[in-house]
Amino acid sequence: TIQGSVVTYTLADNGPLDQDLESGKMDDPVTVAVPYVPPSVPAPAPAPVPTLPLFGLGILVSLLGLFGLRKLRQ
């Protein structure tokens, strides 16, 4: 369970979260990572996603079509 800044979970010996099958020993695979940004730090601006221009996309589609036709003719 997560309540505010406290994370609580229960492990049982040889239970579903115990990776060590030896009785009396427990191997805990659970971890929690939450990025922390202080309130005084402004959020970073979103980065643009690079894309192909329409002309480049047309050339790519044409080439893929030609390669496909060549494969069908063989």
Side-chain angles (χ1 to χ4, degrees):
T1 59
I2 300 175
Q3 292 180 337
S5 62
V6 178
V7 177
T8 306
Y9 60 92
T10 304
L11 287 176
D13 193 16
N14 293 333
L17 296 177
D18 186 11
Q19 289 187 341
D20 190 348
L21 299 178
E22 185 178 333
S23 291
K25 288 181 71 180
M26 294 175 61
D27 186 13
D28 178 6
V30 179
T31 184
V32 175
V34 178
Y36 174 72
V37 178
S40 61
V41 176
V49 176
T51 59
L52 283 176
L54 190 57
F55 180 72
L57 187 59
I59 289 174
L60 180 64
V61 167
S62 299
L63 286 173
L64 287 173
L66 287 174
F67 290 146
L69 283 176
R70 192 177 77 174
K71 208 57 159 164
L72 285 175
R73 289 185 182 172
Q74 289 181 353

